[in-house]
Amino acid sequence: EVSGLVEWPVVLMGSFDPEFLSIPGEVIRATIRNNQKCFVVSDPATGRLAPKFILTANIEATDGGKAIIAGNERVIRARLADAKFFYETDLKNWKEKSIDERLKKFEQIVFHEKLGTQVERIARIERLAAEIAPLVGADVEKAKRAARLAKADLLTEVVGEFPELQGLMGKYYALAQGEDASVAAASEEHWKPQGPNDRVPSDPVSIAVALADKIDTLVGFWAIDEKPTGSKDPYALRRAALGVLRIVLENGIRLPFVNFATKLLGEAADRISPINEHDEKLPDKLTSSIAGHVLEAIVAAVTAALPNPIQRLMAIRAQILYFHFVSFFAERLQGYLRDRGARHDLVNAVFALGGLYGDDFLMIVRRVDALGQFLDTDDGKNLLAGTKRASNILSIEEKKDNSFYGGLPNPALYKSEFETDVANVVELAREEAANAINREDFAGAMRAVARLRPAVDAFFANVKVNDDDKAVRENRLKLLNEIRSATRAVADFSKIQD
């Protein structure tokens, strides 16, 4: 920015009164940088901020720059005096007023017309942080306290002048008030990460509040249908989702995302737009944006569990919202993994098993990593070829016959040892893979399905699937479905590119 402001840069150094060093260094830096486009410096002996600054003039002055330095010092002195006044005023207000008094101001500030006031949002974050705290090893009371304090600095004088210092100032004020160090740190860290290169919070209390804040934001805007579209994302929901992913993955957290998201989406939708039993078009409104087979599965599951029509519609709405929500997170996770060097088709192959319905983020990443390593081996490559061949044949025949060849094959219809061998190894591989996955040994699950390779290769080399005998043909297609089903214990191989 400074390079663009000058044509003949001349670097000079000025100073300011050391008494201003009582202000947090970030405030001094923001004041000098934003208002004067100057640079702060640190003392090489202590590493702390020094009462000096560097300015860039656009002329070689005849007096060596003395007048230019004096002019900048005069302005910076006034700016720092204002900053010092703001900071000291905030400290005084913070100490004299209780947190409840300060939060009352948020009752008059609307977060979003459909999502309520800031004080309502803070209450939601506090409740959610208390639920998340035990799952991330945080003290519940500290997490609740941190959640109540986290947004308090938004109404301070310093943050009003320098919005980029939100959170950081909350930490300073909380420490000055004598709050626990973890509670104070959460005021700053719950905003993180701000971007792909920003660090993620690592303290358990900060993690709980950061996740609660981001999940509440995502769920709220999802429930009111303010989703990102194309290049438009006015509420930075993509950044919030990536923040959740990074916090969870980089801290190795096992979070029951399914339970949180489904419950919260349902609660938010019911609160914002209660279902009217007399709205005859509601079922169509709910189901117009979801694929038929997915909708059928959701409706069947909900109908079996909830006979009450209103409860059923509420549950269906929550599940449909969740389906789209998961798809959104799947896209973010795919991008995150791609940036780490993972193949997007492997991510698709794992998500095809049900994505976040059955797994958490950490398990998905571990599955993708194990699948990538497996496919780099000869067994992996050859099994992929055999499995895709089975899937392709099945897809063609099922489409032609308009039928799904599920169910167990009949051993009495086997005409060769190759069919028997496939049936036996499929049963063994399926059992071993399931046991390995229950232990979260995904590499072991890959080794289990690798046992299929010799039998599958021999089957295709020696058996004609489309036998002239209709019963034998159907039985062999069921056997192919068994191969496809066994490999789906680890991934949907049909989604993987050759």
Side-chain angles (χ1 to χ4, degrees):
E1 183 177 0
V2 171
S3 295
L5 291 174
V6 295
E7 295 180 354
W8 191 266
V10 177
V11 177
L12 305 168
M13 179 175 281
S15 61
F16 56 85
D17 195 320
E19 74 170 68
F20 291 123
L21 293 178
S22 62
I23 309 172
E26 293 85 355
V27 179
I28 296 174
R29 182 179 300 113
T31 301
I32 292 177
R33 179 186 60 203
N34 293 2
N35 295 316
Q36 291 302 109
K37 312 303 179 190
C38 294
F39 303 90
V40 295
V41 295
S42 61
D43 186 331
T46 64
R48 297 176 182 174
L49 213 59
K52 304 281 187 181
F53 64 90
I54 292 173
L55 64 98
T56 311
N58 195 34
I59 188 175
E60 290 190 44
T62 56
D63 63 354
K66 291 180 182 179
I68 296 174
I69 292 172
N72 277 270
E73 288 178 341
R74 185 168 58 254
V75 175
I76 284 177
R77 187 183 308 116
R79 297 288 190 182
L80 290 177
D82 288 343
K84 188 170 185 289
F85 173 78
F86 294 151
Y87 176 63
E88 291 175 349
T89 299
D90 288 339
L91 280 178
K92 181 181 178 183
N93 290 336
W94 203 277
K95 291 178 180 178
E96 290 180 352
K97 295 180 180 179
S98 67
I99 180 63
D100 291 326
E101 286 182 276
R102 293 198 300 275
L103 291 181
K104 280 185 179 179
K105 294 183 179 179
F106 283 122
E107 294 177 357
Q108 310 303 318
I109 299 176
V110 175
F111 172 64
H112 187 282
E113 61 177 346
K114 293 183 180 179
L115 299 176
T117 64
Q118 278 283 16
V119 76
E120 291 173 322
R121 180 168 183 253
I122 290 168
R124 292 197 302 268
I125 294 172
E126 183 180 351
R127 288 195 298 271
L128 186 53
E131 289 188 55
I132 294 174
L135 304 174
V136 299
D139 180 273
V140 174
E141 292 306 315
K142 288 182 180 179
K144 290 171 65 178
R145 179 69 176 174
R148 280 181 66 76
L149 284 170
K151 306 295 184 183
D153 69 341
L154 292 177
L155 294 177
T156 60
E157 299 288 344
V158 172
V159 173
E161 184 74 13
F162 305 109
E164 69 271 25
L165 297 181
Q166 61 189 10
L168 176 67
M169 298 313 300
K171 180 183 76 172
Y172 283 132
Y173 298 145
L175 288 173
Q177 183 178 285
E179 295 286 348
D180 180 86
S182 293
V183 171
S187 292
E188 177 188 11
E189 295 192 334
H190 86 281
W191 294 101
K192 297 182 177 297
Q194 292 289 334
N197 299 318
D198 193 15
R199 66 180 179 85
V200 300
S202 56
D203 181 273
V205 173
S206 296
I207 290 171
V209 180
L211 287 174
D213 177 46
K214 290 169 176 59
I215 291 174
D216 177 77
T217 298
L218 287 159
V219 165
F221 284 107
W222 216 260
I224 63 174
D225 200 29
E226 289 284 358
K227 309 178 186 72
T229 56
S231 61
K232 295 182 179 180
D233 187 10
Y235 301 108
L237 300 187
R238 292 189 181 100
R239 185 175 68 186
L242 184 57
V244 171
L245 288 170
R246 287 191 59 205
I247 291 170
V248 168
L249 296 175
E250 294 177 28
N251 284 292
I253 295 170
R254 308 299 299 275
L255 188 71
F257 187 79
V258 175
N259 296 338
F260 279 128
T262 305
K263 182 183 76 168
L264 292 172
L265 281 165
E267 290 175 353
D270 296 340
R271 182 180 69 251
I272 295 162
S273 180
I275 286 180
N276 181 353
E277 61 181 318
H278 302 296
D279 186 352
E280 297 178 357
K281 296 182 179 180
L282 181 61
D284 294 333
K285 293 177 185 176
L286 291 179
T287 60
S288 61
S289 63
I290 192 167
H293 66 285
V294 176
L295 175 63
E296 290 173 7
I298 290 175
V299 172
V302 171
T303 301
L306 298 169
N308 182 285
I310 297 300
Q311 290 180 334
R312 188 159 60 239
L313 284 175
M314 290 167 62
I316 290 172
R317 177 170 65 179
Q319 288 291 330
I320 291 173
L321 283 170
Y322 177 70
F323 175 81
H324 290 298
F325 196 58
V326 166
S327 299
F328 173 70
F329 263 90
E331 292 173 4
R332 306 281 77 70
L333 181 56
Q334 182 173 326
Y336 173 84
L337 291 171
R338 187 167 57 245
D339 290 342
R340 292 176 66 234
R343 288 166 43 183
H344 69 88
D345 57 327
L346 302 191
V347 181
N348 291 339
V350 171
F351 266 92
L353 303 182
L356 302 180
Y357 285 98
D359 287 327
D360 57 39
F361 300 140
L362 199 59
M363 287 181 67
I364 289 174
V365 172
R366 290 176 57 194
R367 277 177 181 262
V368 171
D369 289 343
L371 182 60
Q373 293 170 10
F374 174 60
L375 293 176
D376 285 338
T377 66
D378 289 338
D379 278 344
K381 293 171 184 175
N382 290 322
L383 179 62
L384 173 63
T387 303
K388 293 195 77 169
R389 184 177 178 184
S391 294
N392 290 337
I393 293 173
L394 268 172
S395 296
I396 292 170
E397 299 304 316
E398 286 175 341
K399 184 176 181 180
K400 182 173 69 178
D401 300 341
N402 194 26
S403 177
F404 173 68
Y405 290 103
L408 295 175
N410 183 358
L413 294 174
Y414 294 157
K415 286 188 172 182
S416 72
E417 62 186 82
F418 304 106
E419 293 167 274
T420 304
D421 288 345
V422 166
N424 291 337
V425 77
V426 160
E427 184 176 350
L428 183 61
R430 197 200 313 270
E431 181 180 352
E432 289 185 1
N435 290 336
I437 287 173
N438 288 336
R439 300 191 306 269
E440 298 183 14
D441 177 11
F442 299 114
M446 303 295 168
R447 290 193 296 271
V449 297
R451 297 171 64 103
L452 291 168
R453 177 200 162 187
V456 170
D457 288 348
F459 176 87
F460 281 120
N462 297 279
V463 176
K464 178 184 177 183
V465 175
N466 287 319
D467 194 87
D468 295 334
D469 186 321
K470 181 179 179 182
V472 172
R473 171 181 175 271
E474 290 183 0
N475 203 57
R476 287 175 178 172
L477 288 172
K478 288 182 178 180
L479 197 54
L480 293 188
N481 184 60
E482 287 292 283
I483 296 172
R484 180 173 64 180
S485 175
T487 56
R488 282 178 68 88
V490 294
D492 184 346
F493 276 52
S494 68
K495 303 290 184 183
I496 302 173
Q497 297 175 359
D498 295 330

